[in-house]
Amino acid sequence: MKLNAIIVEDEEISRDIIRNYLSKYCPNVNLLGEASNIEEGYNLINKHNLDLVFLDVEMPFGNAFDLLEKIENRTFEVIFVTAYDHYAIEALNNNASYYLLKPISIDQLIKAVNTVLEIKQKEQQLQNKILETKSIAVHGKITIPQQDGFEILDVSDIIFCKADDNYTEIHLSNSKKLVSKTLKHFEGILKEYTFARIHKSYLVNVNAIIKYKKGKGGSVIVSNGKEILVSASQKSNLLSYFK
């Protein structure tokens, strides 16, 4: 995992030291920019999607805490860098991941970066777990992942699911959703509901079927008007719902 980071530090020599140490000893840090004051730091934070900010406490025209107060929804971790140890309590109150005293120790810098890396890895694992398509405690609903979170669907609103390579199209009454999960995955998620695998490419909500047409396998017409072929091998499975 790479940590996207910036340095906000008014002393050029300190920026050089941090940059060089990161380059040599912290390959997991991807340095995206540097700022020498609060305003430049604020602009860089708004420009990039950051995991980590190395932040000097004392700077011209304000300090680190002034900068953090301007950030409404902070998603990045902060490693404070300062020559003064009396800021430690305030740093902790601002949810600092680590507090480095100048002159910077290489070992402490590595430890600080590893601390942030561990935090971000745990966040990513939790995010991946949240974004898994799954049933939820409220019966009759499932979640499907989206870039900014997840969407909750009523199972009863799903008419059928169609395989599209490693994706699945979920067809609703007036729309469809494309999800990066296989049809087999949805077959497992929806197995406790009345969904029948009628074809290698189709999983159908039996409650949405309004007509069955005879044939070797036959076909079904569902509530949105679509006709879907039934494979011969799945015919008996489908008709078992209508005994």
Side-chain angles (χ1 to χ4, degrees), residues 18-207:
I18 296 171
R19 184 193 322 113
N20 290 334
Y21 282 179
L22 291 175
S23 176
K24 290 180 181 179
Y25 304 109
C26 302
N28 286 326
V29 176
N30 179 30
L31 195 58
L32 299 180
E34 300 175 18
S36 60
N37 56 55
I38 296 295
E39 184 177 354
E40 290 178 1
Y42 181 73
N43 290 335
L44 272 180
I45 288 169
N46 286 329
K47 180 180 179 181
H48 298 291
N49 183 21
L50 297 173
D51 301 302
L52 171 60
V53 174
F54 292 91
L55 187 55
D56 186 17
V57 177
E58 284 289 353
M59 284 178 285
F61 314 112
N63 62 32
F65 310 114
D66 297 324
L67 173 59
L68 294 177
E69 283 181 4
K70 297 172 67 175
I71 310 299
E72 291 186 4
N73 296 306
R74 172 153 62 100
T75 58
F76 56 84
E77 300 299 316
V78 176
I79 295 176
F80 283 103
V81 183
T82 182
Y84 308 101
D85 60 5
H86 61 271
Y87 287 114
I89 293 177
E90 193 167 359
L92 290 173
N93 289 337
N94 278 271
N95 299 315
S97 298
Y98 216 88
Y99 188 93
L100 291 176
L101 280 174
K102 298 176 184 177
I104 296 172
S105 157
I106 294 172
D107 289 341
Q108 287 300 309
L109 177 64
I110 293 171
K111 187 175 180 181
V113 168
N114 286 339
T115 297
V116 173
L117 191 62
E118 186 177 341
I119 291 169
K120 285 297 179 181
Q121 286 173 336
K122 287 180 179 177
E123 285 181 0
Q124 187 62 56
Q125 289 168 2
L126 179 60
Q127 184 75 356
N128 289 342
K129 188 175 181 180
I130 289 171
L131 293 183
E132 279 291 315
T133 306
K134 57 187 178 182
S135 296
I136 58 177
V138 180
H139 189 71
K141 296 181 184 291
I142 63 169
T143 66
I144 59 172
Q146 294 186 328
Q147 278 191 330
D148 58 349
F150 58 84
E151 183 177 358
I152 301 169
L153 297 182
D154 282 308
V155 171
S156 60
D157 289 338
I158 301 173
I159 299 174
F160 65 89
C161 301
K162 178 185 176 184
D164 184 0
D165 292 326
N166 289 324
Y167 289 79
T168 297
E169 293 178 3
I170 300 178
H171 288 253
L172 309 170
S173 299
N174 298 308
S175 64
K176 70 178 179 180
K177 313 284 184 181
L178 184 64
V179 184
S180 58
K181 297 290 180 183
T182 63
L183 188 64
K184 185 174 180 61
H185 174 82
F186 280 100
E187 187 175 14
I189 292 293
L190 296 168
K191 64 183 179 182
E192 63 179 292
Y193 305 102
T194 51
F195 280 75
R197 186 73 173 260
I198 65 169
H199 188 279
K200 68 177 182 178
S201 297
Y202 287 93
L203 181 67
V204 174
N205 185 345
V206 176
N207 291 313

